[in-house]
Amino acid sequence: MERDRLGRREQDILALERRGFTGPGAKERAIREELGLAPVRYYQLLNALLDDARALAHDPVTVNRLRRIRDARRSER
């Protein structure tokens, strides 16, 4: 069913997260140029994706890694 799959933008966000970035600002530049999003909006969408079962099914390694990072940051606060 189509609703069970991620949309193109959501897939692109996860693909960008799989990449490694070197140098300051490289990731933010890629977010703007490749996805046409402001970094703040990108991170809002990414955070919502981490709680989406479809994202976990699409890319469990990336989603679980990002969840661990998010949880560690939350516990530091």
Side-chain angles (χ1 to χ4, degrees):
M1 186 168 219
E2 193 62 33
R3 269 191 223 128
D4 296 335
R5 296 200 340 230
L6 290 177
R8 179 85 250 148
R9 180 165 70 172
E10 289 84 5
Q11 291 178 33
D12 291 345
I13 288 171
L14 290 174
L16 194 120
E17 282 300 316
R18 282 193 299 273
R19 291 169 36 195
F21 291 94
T22 57
K27 183 175 183 180
E28 286 72 17
R29 192 166 39 257
I31 291 167
R32 282 192 181 93
E33 292 174 1
E34 296 174 26
L35 302 178
L37 293 169
V40 170
R41 182 66 182 139
Y42 170 85
Y43 288 110
Q44 290 170 339
L45 293 169
L46 176 61
N47 198 46
L49 265 178
L50 297 184
D51 298 322
D52 189 327
R54 298 172 305 154
L56 184 61
H58 177 78
D59 190 347
V61 173
T62 301
V63 171
N64 283 323
R65 177 178 58 84
L66 294 171
R67 283 179 175 178
R68 283 192 304 274
I69 293 168
R70 180 179 67 179
D71 293 345
R73 287 183 179 150
R74 283 183 178 166
S75 67
E76 289 172 3
R77 294 181 189 161

